[in-house]
Amino acid sequence: MKRFFLLSIFVSIFVPGRAQVALLPSPDAKSLGMGGLSMTTLSGAHAIYDNPAMAAFSSTPAQIASSYCGAGDADYYAVTGYWRFDNFNLTQIGWRQFLRERGNNDMAVDLGYSRRIGDRWAVGAITRYMHLKRPEGSSDALAADLSVGWMLPVRLGAFSSVRAGAKLSNLGGYFKKQDYSLPMNFTVGAALDTYLSDAHEITVGADFGYCFSPSAARGCQVALGAEYNLMQLVQFRAGYHYGERQVVPSYASVGAGLRILHLRLDFAYLFAGKETFLHNTYSISFGFDF
């Protein structure tokens, strides 16, 4: 059976023993442009797929966003939105669809809630319904993600802040007993934002993740990323992602972003080996802040 992997989109991994694992990574071009950094993202296009708790720290009342990821013959689409009830409560929704060869058509719908606790902490919870369509049949699953975020202003440069976050993903399973399983992941990360002046901001961060179930997909991942923000208008990004056991291959990435009034546009491109499924992978994200 042919193996096909794609980090930047909704993926199915075929492993020995007829076991199948469905991965649901973030399609956010901002995250991918920084090596897959996702636990501390404040203003990404798809907070529900990064760390939902961090969205509670955002000052934007509402946002809608969409992304497209492509590699080879695969196409992946995502649409998300969030709405803030007040300064402490926020709800999120997301839809993803992955189209690839041989009649595979995978879809996921996510619903989430985030709450800010005081000035420093926030928590988030996501529920997810997945439908996997294969030539031999289809499968359905339910899962949940739990996340936490923390942010602290610090004295460094004109203004700085330290952020940290963690997420436990894919707590759940399929409706019927079968040779499919959900990859249970735990990821932690930290980042530093600092303004060199009113016009120049730099962000650096790192994530560490580990997939501990099932054993066929077990392994760790490390993401390192940086962003330079010019006048809150133009962003330049770069990063590196290390993946263990070829569950997700290692790659380098670059990206750019543009902010015009309430519009957001982000792009990311991954540099991976020609022998890997991530070769020539790219992502485009578009968002609108209300």
Side-chain angles (χ1 to χ4, degrees):
M1 184 177 293
K2 180 181 178 180
R3 296 191 179 195
F4 182 86
F5 305 78
L6 190 57
L7 169 68
S8 59
I9 59 179
F10 181 50
V11 185
S12 295
I13 299 179
F14 294 89
V15 296
R18 299 190 307 118
Q20 179 171 295
V21 181
L23 298 181
L24 299 111
S26 172
D28 188 1
K30 176 175 181 175
S31 170
L32 289 172
M34 300 173 71
L37 196 72
S38 61
M39 286 300 98
T40 51
T41 301
L42 280 179
S43 58
H46 301 296
I48 193 171
Y49 303 140
D50 295 325
N51 183 343
M54 297 304 297
F57 292 116
S58 174
S59 59
T60 303
Q63 182 190 82
I64 57 173
S66 64
S67 286
Y68 169 79
C69 296
D73 295 329
D75 296 292
Y76 174 54
Y77 304 90
V79 179
T80 65
Y82 73 71
W83 179 68
R84 184 184 300 280
F85 295 108
D86 49 37
N87 291 331
F88 299 96
N89 300 282
L90 179 144
T91 186
Q92 305 177 60
I93 187 171
W95 169 86
R96 290 176 280 182
Q97 188 168 34
F98 173 42
L99 305 174
R100 63 191 183 107
E101 77 282 3
R102 298 183 181 178
N104 292 278
N105 183 343
D106 301 341
M107 183 272 295
V109 176
D110 296 70
L111 296 174
Y113 169 76
S114 301
R115 178 174 175 81
R116 186 165 178 171
I117 304 173
D119 296 330
R120 302 284 181 262
W121 292 91
V123 294
I126 303 295
T127 58
R128 177 179 308 114
Y129 165 73
M130 292 172 286
H131 177 75
L132 279 67
K133 182 180 179 181
R134 299 290 182 268
E136 64 273 15
S138 61
S139 303
D140 300 277
L142 286 176
D145 299 346
L146 302 175
S147 60
V148 61
W150 176 82
M151 185 170 67
L152 176 69
V154 295
R155 293 178 178 270
L156 181 66
F159 175 79
S160 302
S161 65
V162 175
R163 302 191 306 277
K167 182 169 70 170
L168 182 61
S169 305
N170 289 322
L171 301 171
Y174 287 85
F175 293 160
K176 298 179 181 179
K177 185 178 180 180
Q178 52 192 299
D179 293 330
Y180 297 168
S181 59
L182 298 177
M184 195 175 299
N185 297 274
F186 181 69
T187 309
V188 297
L192 171 68
D193 277 334
T194 183
Y195 281 86
L196 305 177
S197 68
D198 291 342
H200 305 281
E201 179 188 12
I202 292 179
T203 299
V204 293
D207 283 357
F208 175 82
Y210 187 77
C211 181
F212 49 88
S213 176
S215 59
R218 190 171 297 159
C220 70
Q221 301 180 48
V222 179
L224 303 172
E227 177 188 73
Y228 167 67
N229 194 339
L230 175 62
M231 301 178 65
Q232 301 298 311
L233 293 175
V234 181
Q235 298 81 40
F236 300 97
R237 308 179 182 107
Y240 182 78
H241 186 101
Y242 167 77
E244 189 177 40
R245 293 187 61 178
Q246 294 300 310
V247 173
V248 176
S250 299
Y251 65 87
S253 65
V254 294
L258 181 65
R259 304 289 183 268
I260 303 176
L261 297 177
H262 297 285
L263 298 177
R264 301 169 177 265
L265 181 63
D266 296 292
F267 175 80
Y269 185 84
L270 309 188
F271 297 92
K274 292 183 179 180
E275 72 282 1
T276 72
F277 62 92
L278 290 178
H279 185 61
N280 289 334
T281 295
Y282 65 94
S283 176
I284 301 173
S285 296
F286 173 82
F288 185 83
D289 298 336
F290 293 91

